[in-house]
Amino acid sequence: MHANICDYLLDAVQNSIEAGAASVKVDLQETEDMLEVTVHDNGCGMSPEALEAAKDPFTTSPGKHDHRKVGLGIPFMLQHAETTGGMCDITSVPQEGTTIRCTFPLDHVDTPPVGDVVSTWVSALNYPGPHEMEICRSLSTGEAHGCYRIVRSELSEAAGGLEDAGALALVHAYIASLEASLTQHNEEKRS
Ligand SMILES: Nc1ncnc2c1ncn2[C@@H]1O[C@H](COP(=O)(O)OP(=O)(O)OP(=O)(O)O)[C@@H](O)[C@H]1O
Ligand SMILES: [Mg+2]
């Protein structure tokens, strides 16, 4: 069971990579009362029948899990978004790709916490493979307004790869500074 929204996001990113996407675009927009998550890929896509099956927890791709026959990412994300008054929309075209977009009202008592955004980006970027990934993150509340963008290939070049512990520590520190800058701008303006 997923404990927070970042877990769902990470699962959707993993689905995209497992679908053979060469490019994955992740967008996380946060306002005072709403969180919107979009994951777009150009992977293998799904037929309308496969998309319906993906919404069913008792479905997973053959061979994806050694000992289990259920796939939990999409059904839980859908159910959690909808039961908290948000929505989840999935569009998919075979051989073209998939877009999953969900909204979560932040003021609903059953909305899960957002989770650790910085560690989520590090984990998403760390999935092995030659794919490109673009992450866009924005925060717009009464207190803070800002956004940043991360491009996997650029970050990998700057950090000297995304595999070893040293490079990942560097990436984590860099992303933490981006995330902190979203709220710092406004603190500086106020002081
Ligand atoms: N972006 C995508 N592109 C193509 N197929 C997808 C995509 N996302 C999901 N699917 C299909 O939907 C199925 C269900 O996805 P879901 O995330 O719910 O479960 P899973 O990935 O199989 O297992 P789990 O998430 O529990 O590890 C996947 O097995 C895959 O066949
Ligand atoms: Mg999954």
Side-chain angles (χ1 to χ4, degrees):
M1 183 69 182
H2 295 67
N4 60 54
I5 295 172
C6 280
D7 289 340
Y8 291 125
L9 197 164
L10 209 49
D11 193 280
V13 168
Q14 188 171 358
N15 285 345
S16 294
I17 294 167
E18 286 166 347
S23 160
V24 184
K25 289 187 179 160
V26 187
D27 193 75
L28 181 65
Q29 291 180 27
E30 187 175 348
T31 63
E32 198 103 42
D33 48 13
M34 189 68 84
L35 198 85
E36 185 173 325
V37 177
T38 309
V39 179
H40 171 75
D41 70 59
N42 65 352
C44 65
M46 288 174 273
S47 66
E49 297 75 26
L51 177 53
E52 274 318 299
K55 295 176 185 173
D56 176 352
F58 299 104
T59 302
T60 186
S61 290
K64 196 162 177 175
H65 302 293
D66 282 347
H67 304 293
R68 106 169 123 93
K69 293 191 169 65
V70 297
L72 303 175
I74 288 181
F76 277 138
M77 189 169 183
L78 258 168
Q79 193 192 24
H80 228 141
E82 287 173 1
T83 55
T84 53
M87 54 72 86
C88 198
D89 181 52
I90 308 172
T91 53
S92 193
V93 179
Q95 312 313 322
E96 287 189 18
T98 301
T99 301
I100 176 160
R101 187 172 77 90
C102 294
T103 59
F104 295 88
L106 292 173
D107 53 0
H108 193 286
V109 66
D110 291 327
T111 297
V114 177
D116 182 343
V117 174
V118 175
S119 299
T120 299
W121 294 152
V122 175
S123 301
L125 292 160
N126 181 233
Y127 281 129
H131 54 272
E132 183 58 290
M133 186 178 294
E134 182 184 339
I135 294 171
C136 295
R137 153 81 162 138
S138 73
L139 181 69
S140 178
T141 66
E143 295 291 294
H145 293 275
C147 65
Y148 60 79
R149 179 172 164 269
I150 300 165
V151 177
R152 186 175 188 260
S153 58
E154 291 172 5
L155 195 63
S156 175
E157 200 182 329
L162 294 168
E163 291 85 29
D164 68 276
L168 282 180
L170 206 64
V171 165
H172 194 284
Y174 171 65
I175 297 177
S177 75
L178 292 177
E179 189 64 24
S181 74
L182 294 181
T183 44
Q184 265 160 18
H185 283 313
N186 283 64
E187 279 162 20
E188 280 161 17
K189 268 189 220 156
R190 276 201 306 276
S191 58

